[in-house]
C-alpha cells in the first residue's frame, strides 16, 4: 500500500472511566499517524508522564513532540522501538486535573487486517507535593481489568483492510461478534443475503427487504461485501 | 449489481426536461423511494453478488 497519513482524532470512552483513547480508522500495512488522547489525570492530579509500549509488528516508529516535551524512546534487542515516553517538567504541571493531552506516533502497521493492536500504556499523575499515582492501561481482555490495582483497558487499535469508495470484497480471518466495532463507518455489510449497517434507518430497510435477513456476526473465512 | 438506476423519463413534448437524472430503480416490489415509511433497501445498497 502507498504511504498515506490519517489524521482523524476520535476519543473512545468505555466503562464508566474515560480511557486513553485512539483515533480511527487505522489501516493494516500502512504508514499513518496514531493519536493517543489522555482525557484526565488521576485522583485530581495532573498527568506528568505517559509511557506507551509498542506492540510487536509495528515498525518505523517516530514520535511527535507534545505538551509533555520531547519523547524518549526505548529499543528492544533487535533495535526496534519498544516504547515511547513523554514526561512533563514539574514546572509545567497543572495545579489540579483539568488538562487534556494528545500524543502522536507515526508508525507502519503490520499486514494483519481485522486484528487488534494493544498499546499498553502507563500513565503517571503527580500531586503538588511531589507524590505520584498511576493508571496501568494494560488489560487486553475484560478479565484482566483490576480496578484496585489500577489496571484498566489498554488503548486498542483495530486494523482495517484497505478500502476504496464503493464496494469492497473481503474474507475475514477470524470470527467477529461485534460488527459495529469494525464496520461502524460502513454504509452496509453483506454476507450472502444477510446484511448489517450501523445506521438504524438502513437496518430498518434491511428488515423490510424481501429475501434479506439481518446479519449479526461473522465467522472465520466468511466472504463479505462492504460498501463505503 | 441488483438492478440499474433508471434514467428519468423524457419530459412532455416541447418541454425541455433539463439534464437527465437518475432515480432508484423501482422494479422490485416494495422498493419505494428512500425515506418513505416501510421502504426496502435502495438498489445502491445491494451488493454486486445479490440475486446472482
Amino acid at each position: 500500500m502507498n504511504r498515506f497519513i490519517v489524521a482523524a482524532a476520535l476519543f473512545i470512552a468505555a466503562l464508566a472511566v474515560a480511557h486513553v483513547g485512539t483515533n480511527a480508522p487505522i489501516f493494516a500495512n500502512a504508514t499513518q499517524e496514531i493519536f493517543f488522547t489522555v482525557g484526565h489525570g488521576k485522583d485530581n492530579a495532573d498527568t506528568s508522564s505517559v509511557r506507551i509500549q509498542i506492540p510487536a509488528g509495528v515498525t518505523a516508529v517516530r514520535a511527535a513532540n507534545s505538551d509533555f516535551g520531547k519523547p524518549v524512546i526505548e529499543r528492544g534487542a533487535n533495535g526496534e522501538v519498544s516504547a515511547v515516553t513523554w514526561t512533563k517538567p514539574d514546572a509545567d504541571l497543572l495545579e489540579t486535573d483539568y488538562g487534556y493531552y494528545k500524543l502522536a506516533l507515526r508508525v507502519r502497521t503490520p499486514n494483519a487486517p481485522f486484528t487488534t493492536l494493544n498499546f499498553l500504556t502507563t500513565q503517571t499523575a503527580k500531586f503538588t507535593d511531589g507524590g505520584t499515582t498511576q493508571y496501568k492501561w494494560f488489560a487486553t481482555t475484560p478479565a484482566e481489568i483490576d480496578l484496585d490495582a489500577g489496571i484498566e483497558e489498554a488503548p486498542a487499535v483495530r486494523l482495517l483492510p484497505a478500502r476504496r469508495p464503493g464496494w469492497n470484497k473481503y474474507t475475514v480471518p477470524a470470527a467477529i461478534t461485534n460488527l459495529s466495532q469494525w464496520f461502524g463507518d460502513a454504509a452496509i455489510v453483506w454476507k450472502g443475503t444477510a446484511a448489517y449497517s450501523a445506521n438504524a434507518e438502513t437496518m430498518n430497510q434491511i428488515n423490510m427487504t424481501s429475501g434479506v435477513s439481518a446479519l449479526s456476526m461473522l465467522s472465520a473465512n466468511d466472504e463479505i461485501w462492504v460498501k463505503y | 449489481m441488483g438492478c440499474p438506476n433508471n434514467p428519468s423519463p423524457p419530459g412532455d413534448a416541447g418541454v425541455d426536461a433539463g439534464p437527465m437524472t437518475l432515480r432508484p430503480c423501482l422494479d422490485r416490489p416494495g422498493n419505494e423511494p428512500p425515506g418513505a415509511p416501510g421502504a426496502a433497501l435502495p438498489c445502491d445498497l445491494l451488493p454486486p453478488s445479490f440475486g446472482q
Side-chain angles (χ1 to χ4, degrees):
Chain A
M1 168 170 284
N2 294 327
R3 173 180 295 188
F4 69 96
I5 295 176
V6 175
L10 179 68
F11 184 82
I12 301 172
L15 303 179
V17 177
H19 290 49
V20 174
T22 58
N23 54 310
I26 299 295
F27 298 98
N29 197 30
T31 297
Q32 61 215 281
E33 289 178 307
I34 300 179
F35 296 101
F36 297 85
T37 54
V38 183
H40 63 81
K42 191 172 189 289
D43 300 330
N44 205 33
D46 186 24
T47 300
S48 61
S49 75
V50 178
R51 177 178 182 267
I52 299 176
Q53 298 179 47
I54 307 301
V58 175
T59 59
V61 177
R62 288 188 172 269
N65 285 359
S66 77
D67 294 61
F68 287 82
K70 295 181 182 179
V72 175
I73 63 171
E74 299 169 42
R75 293 189 182 274
N78 297 319
E80 75 283 7
V81 176
S82 58
V84 181
T85 301
W86 292 264
T87 302
K88 177 187 288 193
D90 285 352
D92 294 342
L93 284 170
L94 304 176
E95 63 275 16
T96 58
D97 177 21
Y98 60 85
Y100 167 81
Y101 306 105
K102 183 188 288 187
L103 307 170
L105 297 173
R106 193 188 72 173
V107 305
R108 183 158 188 91
T109 53
N111 187 11
F114 293 116
T115 64
T116 300
L117 296 174
N118 292 295
F119 289 81
L120 275 56
T121 298
T122 305
Q123 178 190 6
T124 303
K126 184 174 282 190
F127 300 100
T128 53
D129 64 0
T132 60
T133 180
Q134 278 189 342
Y135 275 122
K136 297 180 177 64
W137 305 100
F138 288 176
T140 61
T141 65
E144 294 176 358
I145 295 174
D146 184 344
L147 299 182
D148 291 335
I151 298 175
E152 303 214 28
E153 187 177 352
V157 168
R158 293 183 181 86
L159 295 182
L160 297 175
R163 65 171 69 156
R164 290 289 183 267
W167 291 104
N168 298 262
K169 188 176 181 180
Y170 304 119
T171 300
V172 295
I176 296 176
T177 56
N178 190 331
L179 298 180
S180 66
Q181 289 182 339
W182 294 92
F183 304 108
D185 63 340
I188 195 167
V189 180
W190 286 89
K191 173 193 165 186
T193 57
Y196 165 81
S197 177
N199 183 305
E201 291 305 314
T202 304
M203 280 306 301
N204 288 337
Q205 293 174 329
I206 289 169
N207 292 325
M208 293 297 297
T209 303
S210 176
V212 175
S213 60
L215 179 66
S216 60
M217 63 168 290
L218 296 170
S219 301
N221 301 315
D222 276 349
E223 187 177 90
I224 59 174
W225 287 94
V226 184
K227 186 171 188 182
Y228 290 101
Chain B
M1 200 164 167
C3 53
N5 286 336
N6 298 318
S8 57
D12 293 336
V15 175
D16 182 359
M20 292 286 274
T21 58
L22 297 177
R23 67 184 181 199
C25 66
L26 299 175
D27 61 352
R28 295 181 67 245
N31 199 7
E32 294 83 5
L41 284 167
C43 290
D44 64 336
L45 289 184
L46 298 178
S49 58
F50 196 81
Q52 292 177 0

